[in-house]
């Protein structure tokens, strides 16, 4: 028997090199990206336990905080409830926003300084 021809070896047939490995991986990556950006995938990710558990704990903590402030009748200057915090943030946005920018600038500067000093 002679040596096998390209027709006898399926993995080495004439269509085997129709797509290179880079083409296949690029197509695979495109498919994965489309899958990750699809609405159903985003919704299934949002409704997963990995997302809902921390959100639920955060909401529960805010509810407990608000109820504790109401029940204990704590003065707002000692401990404002989350509802009052949000109301104040919205109503005083023009005053608070410049302060936010200063705080972010200081935070970013400190982060950069810490990063550089760690080198």
């Amino acid at each position: 028997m002679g040596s096998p021809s390209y027709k006898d070896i399926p993995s080495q047939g004439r269509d085997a090199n129709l797509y290179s490995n880079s083409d296949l991986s690029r197509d695979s990556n495109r498919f994965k990206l489309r899958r990750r950006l699809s609405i159903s995938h985003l919704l299934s990710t949002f409704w997963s336990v990995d997302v809902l558990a921390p959100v639920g704990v955060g909401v529960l903590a805010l509810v407990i905080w608000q109820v504790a402030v109401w029940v204990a009748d704590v003065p707002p200057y000692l401990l404002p409830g989350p509802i009052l915090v949000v109301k104040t943030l919205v109503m005083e946005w023009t005053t608070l926003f410049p302060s936010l920018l200063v705080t972010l600038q200081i935070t970013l500067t400190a982060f950069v300084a810490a990063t550089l000093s760690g080198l």
Side-chain angles (χ1 to χ4, degrees):
M1 300 204 146
S3 63
S5 71
Y6 68 87
K7 294 178 185 176
D8 299 327
I9 305 172
S11 64
Q12 306 241 343
R14 70 184 147 184
D15 293 336
N17 290 326
L18 189 60
Y19 295 106
S20 68
N21 286 338
S22 63
D23 289 339
L24 293 175
S25 65
R26 186 173 48 239
D27 289 343
S28 175
N29 288 339
R30 283 184 194 152
F31 175 75
K32 288 177 186 174
L33 180 62
R34 270 190 251 138
R35 167 81 173 110
R36 276 188 248 139
L37 295 177
S38 71
I39 299 296
S40 63
H41 179 66
L42 291 174
L43 287 176
S44 68
T45 302
F46 178 75
W47 291 111
S48 72
V49 174
D50 294 336
V51 174
L52 289 179
V55 169
V57 168
V59 168
L60 182 65
L62 290 174
V63 168
I64 290 171
W65 174 15
Q66 185 64 46
V67 169
V69 167
W70 281 339
V71 169
D73 200 25
V74 179
Y77 60 86
L78 286 179
L79 180 65
I83 293 175
L84 182 59
V85 170
V86 171
K87 281 182 184 178
T88 304
L89 184 62
V90 170
M91 294 181 71
E92 300 294 330
W93 182 253
T94 56
T95 305
L96 295 173
F97 184 68
S99 300
L100 172 67
L101 292 178
V102 170
T103 302
L104 290 176
Q105 181 182 12
I106 291 169
T107 303
L108 183 62
T109 303
F111 178 73
V112 169
T115 302
L116 292 176
S117 67
L119 297 175

